[in-house]
Amino acid sequence: MTQRVELAAVMDRLAVDGLITDYAVAVDDGDWTAYRNLFTPDGRADYRSAGGIEGAARDVADWLAAGLRPFAVRQHLIVNRRVRFGVLDQDTGDTARVLADYLSPLARAGDDGAQEGLAGPDVVCGGRYAFTLLRTDDGWRVRELVVQEKWRRVPDRTG
């Protein structure tokens, strides 16, 4: 590998990592315009394993907005990112597959709108994301996202 190719691979890796981070921030901040902009025009998302829907990213963004509205605090972490670059039309590096684990605590707002999350999360779930990415003229974008929720815990608050 030449230094130029190695530098390009590092730059792609950083850009892909940034895209995955932007995904987490968009969901946690409830920035659904930013969420939609992370996807290709034909991008799709599948949240069925987490009790959600599968469909066009714009429709899934609407579902997420409604489903996450009760949670004033969202802070999900995406770790153990494994990136594999693929080939599109004989050009290496125009596609990527990312598998990454996540941990997602969610805390509801109190009746008075205060962030009750300081007392701890109401729901914590974890699993794995499978991102299929495409290099576009606007940079890397998500073509497909599949959420593979592996576990969910709802803490007992009766004590």
Side-chain angles (χ1 to χ4, degrees):
M1 239 187 220
T2 67
Q3 285 184 335
R4 184 180 307 234
V5 171
E6 290 173 357
L7 178 60
V10 168
M11 297 301 292
D12 279 337
R13 173 63 194 236
L14 290 171
V16 164
D17 194 64
L19 179 67
I20 303 306
T21 298
D22 289 346
Y23 165 83
V25 171
V27 172
D28 290 347
D29 290 352
D31 187 344
W32 307 116
T33 299
Y35 177 92
R36 289 177 186 93
N37 290 335
L38 296 172
F39 287 81
T40 60
D42 62 345
R44 300 187 67 75
D46 183 348
Y47 287 81
R48 289 178 293 182
S49 73
I53 66 170
E54 184 278 332
R58 66 185 173 279
D59 298 330
V60 172
D62 294 339
W63 171 80
L64 280 169
L68 293 175
R69 189 171 293 118
F71 299 101
V73 178
R74 299 184 289 263
Q75 182 184 30
H76 84 274
L77 310 171
I78 302 178
V79 299
N80 301 332
R81 301 172 193 203
R82 286 145 302 184
V83 178
R84 299 289 179 264
F85 292 102
V87 176
L88 179 66
D89 296 331
Q90 309 302 325
D91 190 4
T92 300
D94 280 339
T95 64
R97 177 112 166 119
V98 180
L99 295 176
D101 297 326
Y102 70 88
L103 175 66
S104 181
L106 305 167
R108 294 186 187 280
D111 292 335
D112 61 357
Q115 293 184 355
E116 290 188 359
L118 299 177
D122 293 295
V123 177
V124 181
C125 58
R128 180 164 293 151
Y129 289 123
F131 293 92
T132 302
L133 308 179
L134 178 67
R135 182 195 314 271
T136 71
D137 291 340
D138 296 319
W140 287 95
R141 294 294 182 262
V142 179
R143 178 180 265 172
E144 180 182 48
L145 166 62
V146 177
V147 177
Q148 301 160 351
E149 185 174 276
K150 295 184 175 189
W151 61 271
R152 178 179 293 240
R153 181 174 61 88
V154 179
D156 179 12
R157 300 245 177 160
T158 61

